[in-house]
mmCIF file of all heavy atoms in Angstrom:
data_model
loop_
_atom_site.group_PDB
_atom_site.id
_atom_site.type_symbol
_atom_site.label_atom_id
_atom_site.label_comp_id
_atom_site.label_asym_id
_atom_site.label_seq_id
_atom_site.Cartn_x
_atom_site.Cartn_y
_atom_site.Cartn_z
ATOM 1 N N PHE A 583 16.214 4.925 -21.813
ATOM 2 C CA PHE A 583 16.373 6.179 -21.042
ATOM 3 C C PHE A 583 17.704 6.718 -21.240
ATOM 4 O O PHE A 583 18.711 6.148 -20.862
ATOM 5 C CB PHE A 583 16.126 5.816 -19.518
ATOM 6 C CG PHE A 583 16.061 7.121 -18.707
ATOM 7 C CD1 PHE A 583 14.981 7.969 -18.763
ATOM 8 C CD2 PHE A 583 17.147 7.435 -17.849
ATOM 9 C CE1 PHE A 583 14.931 9.124 -18.010
ATOM 10 C CE2 PHE A 583 17.107 8.573 -17.100
ATOM 11 C CZ PHE A 583 15.990 9.460 -17.189
ATOM 12 N N VAL A 585 19.423 9.614 -20.408
ATOM 13 C CA VAL A 585 20.271 10.453 -19.472
ATOM 14 C C VAL A 585 21.341 9.578 -18.870
ATOM 15 O O VAL A 585 20.931 8.568 -18.163
ATOM 16 C CB VAL A 585 19.432 11.160 -18.373
ATOM 17 C CG1 VAL A 585 20.303 12.005 -17.553
ATOM 18 C CG2 VAL A 585 18.316 11.963 -19.014
ATOM 19 N N ASP A 586 22.617 9.856 -19.128
ATOM 20 C CA ASP A 586 23.766 9.045 -18.795
ATOM 21 C C ASP A 586 24.825 9.725 -18.174
ATOM 22 O O ASP A 586 25.614 10.338 -18.849
ATOM 23 C CB ASP A 586 24.178 8.279 -20.053
ATOM 24 C CG ASP A 586 25.329 7.353 -19.815
ATOM 25 O OD1 ASP A 586 25.706 7.100 -18.643
ATOM 26 O OD2 ASP A 586 25.909 6.789 -20.757
ATOM 27 N N MET A 596 20.005 10.474 -9.301
ATOM 28 C CA MET A 596 20.231 11.369 -10.464
ATOM 29 C C MET A 596 19.134 12.519 -10.443
ATOM 30 O O MET A 596 19.413 13.663 -10.772
ATOM 31 C CB MET A 596 20.071 10.683 -11.732
ATOM 32 C CG MET A 596 21.275 9.708 -11.987
ATOM 33 S SD MET A 596 21.052 8.472 -13.347
ATOM 34 C CE MET A 596 20.709 9.496 -14.755
ATOM 35 N N GLY A 600 19.897 16.470 -10.059
ATOM 36 C CA GLY A 600 19.698 17.095 -11.290
ATOM 37 C C GLY A 600 20.773 16.676 -12.410
ATOM 38 O O GLY A 600 21.307 17.594 -13.119
ATOM 39 N N ALA A 601 21.045 15.393 -12.397
ATOM 40 C CA ALA A 601 22.170 14.913 -13.239
ATOM 41 C C ALA A 601 21.836 15.070 -14.781
ATOM 42 O O ALA A 601 20.671 15.303 -15.117
ATOM 43 C CB ALA A 601 22.401 13.424 -12.998
ATOM 44 N N SER A 602 22.897 15.037 -15.570
ATOM 45 C CA SER A 602 22.709 15.046 -17.039
ATOM 46 C C SER A 602 23.633 14.029 -17.661
ATOM 47 O O SER A 602 23.446 12.860 -17.452
ATOM 48 C CB SER A 602 22.871 16.500 -17.549
ATOM 49 O OG SER A 602 24.197 16.986 -17.258
ATOM 50 N N GLY A 603 24.608 14.458 -18.374
ATOM 51 C CA GLY A 603 25.549 13.537 -19.031
ATOM 52 C C GLY A 603 25.766 13.739 -20.468
ATOM 53 O O GLY A 603 25.421 14.778 -21.028
ATOM 54 N N ASN A 605 24.316 12.563 -23.237
ATOM 55 C CA ASN A 605 23.239 12.688 -24.218
ATOM 56 C C ASN A 605 22.393 13.972 -24.015
ATOM 57 O O ASN A 605 21.382 14.120 -24.705
ATOM 58 C CB ASN A 605 22.357 11.444 -24.061
ATOM 59 C CG ASN A 605 23.041 10.208 -24.634
ATOM 60 O OD1 ASN A 605 23.451 10.097 -25.757
ATOM 61 N ND2 ASN A 605 23.085 9.169 -23.781
ATOM 62 N N ALA A 606 22.746 14.804 -23.089
ATOM 63 C CA ALA A 606 21.864 15.933 -22.745
ATOM 64 C C ALA A 606 21.717 16.928 -23.908
ATOM 65 O O ALA A 606 20.645 17.485 -24.003
ATOM 66 C CB ALA A 606 22.489 16.682 -21.492
ATOM 67 N N VAL A 607 22.658 17.024 -24.817
ATOM 68 C CA VAL A 607 22.536 17.909 -25.911
ATOM 69 C C VAL A 607 21.344 17.638 -26.795
ATOM 70 O O VAL A 607 20.721 18.536 -27.389
ATOM 71 C CB VAL A 607 23.815 17.990 -26.701
ATOM 72 C CG1 VAL A 607 24.076 16.682 -27.407
ATOM 73 C CG2 VAL A 607 23.811 19.061 -27.772
ATOM 74 N N ARG A 608 20.944 16.380 -26.821
ATOM 75 C CA ARG A 608 19.785 16.062 -27.701
ATOM 76 C C ARG A 608 18.541 15.625 -26.851
ATOM 77 O O ARG A 608 17.396 16.019 -27.229
ATOM 78 C CB ARG A 608 20.098 14.873 -28.585
ATOM 79 C CG ARG A 608 18.947 14.438 -29.431
ATOM 80 C CD ARG A 608 19.335 13.585 -30.609
ATOM 81 N NE ARG A 608 18.188 13.101 -31.464
ATOM 82 C CZ ARG A 608 18.323 12.525 -32.672
ATOM 83 N NH1 ARG A 608 19.521 12.357 -33.134
ATOM 84 N NH2 ARG A 608 17.270 12.205 -33.326
ATOM 85 N N TYR A 609 18.697 14.989 -25.688
ATOM 86 C CA TYR A 609 17.611 14.437 -24.979
ATOM 87 C C TYR A 609 17.295 15.203 -23.677
ATOM 88 O O TYR A 609 16.297 14.829 -23.004
ATOM 89 C CB TYR A 609 17.841 12.994 -24.686
ATOM 90 C CG TYR A 609 17.994 12.073 -25.887
ATOM 91 C CD1 TYR A 609 19.248 11.707 -26.350
ATOM 92 C CD2 TYR A 609 16.871 11.658 -26.605
ATOM 93 C CE1 TYR A 609 19.337 10.973 -27.566
ATOM 94 C CE2 TYR A 609 16.984 10.859 -27.656
ATOM 95 C CZ TYR A 609 18.217 10.496 -28.223
ATOM 96 O OH TYR A 609 18.416 9.753 -29.307
ATOM 97 N N GLY A 610 18.126 16.160 -23.295
ATOM 98 C CA GLY A 610 17.888 16.922 -22.042
ATOM 99 C C GLY A 610 18.490 16.269 -20.843
ATOM 100 O O GLY A 610 18.988 15.213 -20.959
ATOM 101 N N THR A 611 18.343 16.979 -19.728
ATOM 102 C CA THR A 611 18.865 16.518 -18.469
ATOM 103 C C THR A 611 17.697 15.861 -17.714
ATOM 104 O O THR A 611 16.630 15.612 -18.222
ATOM 105 C CB THR A 611 19.396 17.698 -17.703
ATOM 106 O OG1 THR A 611 18.251 18.545 -17.259
ATOM 107 C CG2 THR A 611 20.349 18.565 -18.499
ATOM 108 N N MET A 612 18.015 15.476 -16.465
ATOM 109 C CA MET A 612 16.934 14.932 -15.607
ATOM 110 C C MET A 612 15.729 15.876 -15.534
ATOM 111 O O MET A 612 14.584 15.361 -15.455
ATOM 112 C CB MET A 612 17.469 14.536 -14.257
ATOM 113 C CG MET A 612 18.379 13.345 -14.269
ATOM 114 S SD MET A 612 17.758 11.845 -14.971
ATOM 115 C CE MET A 612 16.572 11.311 -13.713
ATOM 116 N N ARG A 613 15.977 17.140 -15.491
ATOM 117 C CA ARG A 613 14.854 18.082 -15.307
ATOM 118 C C ARG A 613 13.898 17.962 -16.410
ATOM 119 O O ARG A 613 12.650 18.119 -16.166
ATOM 120 C CB ARG A 613 15.433 19.515 -15.325
ATOM 121 C CG ARG A 613 16.294 19.857 -14.039
ATOM 122 C CD ARG A 613 16.602 21.315 -13.972
ATOM 123 N NE ARG A 613 17.390 21.536 -12.795
ATOM 124 C CZ ARG A 613 16.981 21.727 -11.564
ATOM 125 N NH1 ARG A 613 15.690 21.625 -11.356
ATOM 126 N NH2 ARG A 613 17.766 21.949 -10.569
ATOM 127 N N GLU A 614 14.259 17.616 -17.599
ATOM 128 C CA GLU A 614 13.363 17.525 -18.712
ATOM 129 C C GLU A 614 12.754 16.097 -18.855
ATOM 130 O O GLU A 614 11.849 15.822 -19.659
ATOM 131 C CB GLU A 614 14.043 17.856 -20.028
ATOM 132 C CG GLU A 614 14.451 19.312 -20.238
ATOM 133 C CD GLU A 614 15.704 19.745 -19.446
ATOM 134 O OE1 GLU A 614 16.661 18.929 -19.502
ATOM 135 O OE2 GLU A 614 15.665 20.762 -18.821
ATOM 136 N N ASN A 615 13.259 15.213 -18.024
ATOM 137 C CA ASN A 615 12.929 13.766 -18.228
ATOM 138 C C ASN A 615 12.133 13.168 -17.012
ATOM 139 O O ASN A 615 11.915 11.895 -16.917
ATOM 140 C CB ASN A 615 14.062 12.915 -18.648
ATOM 141 C CG ASN A 615 14.558 13.191 -20.049
ATOM 142 O OD1 ASN A 615 13.899 12.660 -20.955
ATOM 143 N ND2 ASN A 615 15.501 13.981 -20.224
ATOM 144 N N VAL A 616 11.826 14.004 -16.040
ATOM 145 C CA VAL A 616 11.037 13.496 -14.827
ATOM 146 C C VAL A 616 9.612 14.034 -14.972
ATOM 147 O O VAL A 616 9.408 15.257 -15.107
ATOM 148 C CB VAL A 616 11.672 14.006 -13.568
ATOM 149 C CG1 VAL A 616 10.883 13.595 -12.295
ATOM 150 C CG2 VAL A 616 13.138 13.513 -13.440
ATOM 151 N N VAL A 652 13.640 18.117 -8.132
ATOM 152 C CA VAL A 652 14.803 17.782 -9.021
ATOM 153 C C VAL A 652 15.924 18.695 -8.697
ATOM 154 O O VAL A 652 15.829 19.921 -8.850
ATOM 155 C CB VAL A 652 14.380 17.863 -10.509
ATOM 156 C CG1 VAL A 652 15.584 17.560 -11.411
ATOM 157 C CG2 VAL A 652 13.166 16.983 -10.829
ATOM 158 N N ARG A 667 10.497 9.875 -18.274
ATOM 159 C CA ARG A 667 10.091 9.932 -19.672
ATOM 160 C C ARG A 667 11.049 8.969 -20.487
ATOM 161 O O ARG A 667 12.326 9.134 -20.300
ATOM 162 C CB ARG A 667 10.233 11.263 -20.252
ATOM 163 C CG ARG A 667 9.825 11.507 -21.663
ATOM 164 C CD ARG A 667 10.319 12.889 -22.175
ATOM 165 N NE ARG A 667 9.799 13.960 -21.374
ATOM 166 C CZ ARG A 667 8.632 14.669 -21.643
ATOM 167 N NH1 ARG A 667 7.945 14.367 -22.693
ATOM 168 N NH2 ARG A 667 8.239 15.587 -20.830
ATOM 169 N N HIS A 669 12.348 7.335 -24.340
ATOM 170 C CA HIS A 669 12.518 7.785 -25.654
ATOM 171 C C HIS A 669 12.667 6.545 -26.637
ATOM 172 O O HIS A 669 13.184 5.518 -26.278
ATOM 173 C CB HIS A 669 13.770 8.679 -25.816
ATOM 174 C CG HIS A 669 13.634 9.919 -25.001
ATOM 175 N ND1 HIS A 669 13.350 11.141 -25.520
ATOM 176 C CD2 HIS A 669 13.753 10.125 -23.729
ATOM 177 C CE1 HIS A 669 13.384 12.057 -24.604
ATOM 178 N NE2 HIS A 669 13.667 11.470 -23.478
ATOM 179 N N ASP A 830 26.251 21.302 -24.570
ATOM 180 C CA ASP A 830 25.374 22.205 -23.811
ATOM 181 C C ASP A 830 26.215 23.166 -22.822
ATOM 182 O O ASP A 830 25.685 23.681 -21.909
ATOM 183 C CB ASP A 830 24.422 21.389 -22.988
ATOM 184 C CG ASP A 830 25.015 20.249 -22.124
ATOM 185 O OD1 ASP A 830 26.268 20.239 -21.938
ATOM 186 O OD2 ASP A 830 24.284 19.356 -21.817
ATOM 187 N N ASN A 832 28.726 22.629 -20.910
ATOM 188 C CA ASN A 832 29.083 22.113 -19.562
ATOM 189 C C ASN A 832 30.513 21.388 -19.677
ATOM 190 O O ASN A 832 30.681 20.539 -20.590
ATOM 191 C CB ASN A 832 28.031 21.177 -19.073
ATOM 192 C CG ASN A 832 28.320 20.488 -17.736
ATOM 193 O OD1 ASN A 832 27.908 19.381 -17.512
ATOM 194 N ND2 ASN A 832 28.996 21.178 -16.815
ATOM 195 N N GLY A 870 27.032 22.642 -13.618
ATOM 196 C CA GLY A 870 26.095 22.190 -14.609
ATOM 197 C C GLY A 870 25.436 20.888 -14.205
ATOM 198 O O GLY A 870 24.242 20.724 -14.599
ATOM 199 N N GLU A 871 26.085 20.005 -13.367
ATOM 200 C CA GLU A 871 25.534 18.805 -13.055
ATOM 201 C C GLU A 871 25.940 18.140 -11.738
ATOM 202 O O GLU A 871 25.336 17.317 -11.213
ATOM 203 C CB GLU A 871 25.614 17.797 -14.140
ATOM 204 C CG GLU A 871 27.107 17.454 -14.539
ATOM 205 C CD GLU A 871 27.242 16.513 -15.699
ATOM 206 O OE1 GLU A 871 26.255 16.286 -16.411
ATOM 207 O OE2 GLU A 871 28.320 16.081 -16.016
#
Side-chain angles (χ1 to χ4, degrees):
F583 186 71
V585 183
D586 179 6
M596 290 165 60
S602 56
N605 289 305
V607 64
R608 177 160 181 171
Y609 298 98
T611 70
M612 289 303 290
R613 291 190 183 277
E614 292 79 43
N615 286 281
V616 179
V652 178
R667 182 193 304 265
H669 296 258
D830 48 20
N832 178 213
E871 58 184 12

